[in-house]
Amino acid sequence: MTLPSVVRLLGLLLLVAFITMPQAFAFIFEPLITRGAPAIYNQGSLLALTLQHLRTVFLATLASTALAVSLGIFVTRPSGAEFLPLSRSLVNIGQTFPPIAVLAIAVPLVGFGEKPTFIALFLYGLLPIFENTLTGLTQVPAQAIEAARGMGMNAWQRLSQVELPLAFPVILAGIRLSVIISLGTATIGSTVAAKGLGEVIIAGLQSNNIAFVLQGGLVVALLAVLIHDGLGLVERAAARRLGRAPDEVS
């Protein structure tokens, strides 16, 4: 087992141990608290909050991927090329508006809880996936498409069997970036009563408990590093299968 693999495994084990048995780590945080304050977040289950945080990020990323990839495919077809500027403007909206502003607009429409957070993450995650879908599809070698056409493949077959598989590593790089953005951004969802790790951070800020703030932040950071690294491994494996250098998809 290589050193990077060992580090990944240790990071995963540390994360699982902390969110399932947080009291075992109380001694680490005790120097950061004032007398009488709890060293470990005690207003809910860290495991449940982590799973809820991941659920919101996963659902929002899934929705962003479905729309962004569909738009990317559409505007790279001859019939949709004229809609590229409009599509690019639409997916840029999520990056133009701060997530907190999206929450403020969404709450009166859908209420408090997970829904406004989902909307904010969905909008925020569109741009990197859309742009990488465009890049991946436009970089497919013309010779590959011509060869597929010469084999008698129709437009759908060329897309599903040639273009998308060749573009997959680049598209996955966009999804990876979207996930990492969403993991951090999802913490603000707790300001509108969404369950997640932001609840731990906000509780720490409200009670002036630095230990709580660090616990929420460290779990989010570990999740981001592990997921980023895991998706990076998938990208590199896909790139190797296509005979491309790993840096071509990063």
Side-chain angles (χ1 to χ4, degrees), residues 153-202:
M153 290 186 180
N154 58 34
W156 168 250
Q157 290 172 326
R158 291 195 298 272
L159 174 65
S160 61
Q161 298 179 33
V162 178
E163 295 181 67
L164 284 177
L166 289 174
F168 175 72
V170 181
I171 296 173
L172 186 57
I175 295 173
R176 172 166 56 111
L177 179 57
S178 180
V179 169
I180 302 309
I181 292 172
S182 293
L183 278 169
T185 307
T187 56
I188 66 170
S190 296
T191 61
V192 293
K195 290 292 183 181
L197 292 166
E199 189 174 302
V200 183
I201 297 172
I202 291 175

Side-chain angles (χ1 to χ4, degrees), residues 2 7 25 47 68 79 81 83 90 106 111 146 174 177 184-185 203 220 226 228 232 237 249:
T2 62
V7 172
F25 297 82
L47 176 59
S79 59
F83 294 98
L90 289 175
E146 286 303 318
L177 179 57
T185 307
V220 172
L226 289 171
H228 181 277
V249 300

Side-chain angles (χ1 to χ4, degrees), residues 31-53:
L32 303 174
I33 61 174
T34 56
R35 187 178 298 275
I40 297 294
Y41 180 72
N42 59 353
Q43 299 172 30
S45 165
L46 277 177
L47 176 59
L49 291 175
T50 300
L51 292 176
Q52 183 62 43
H53 195 95

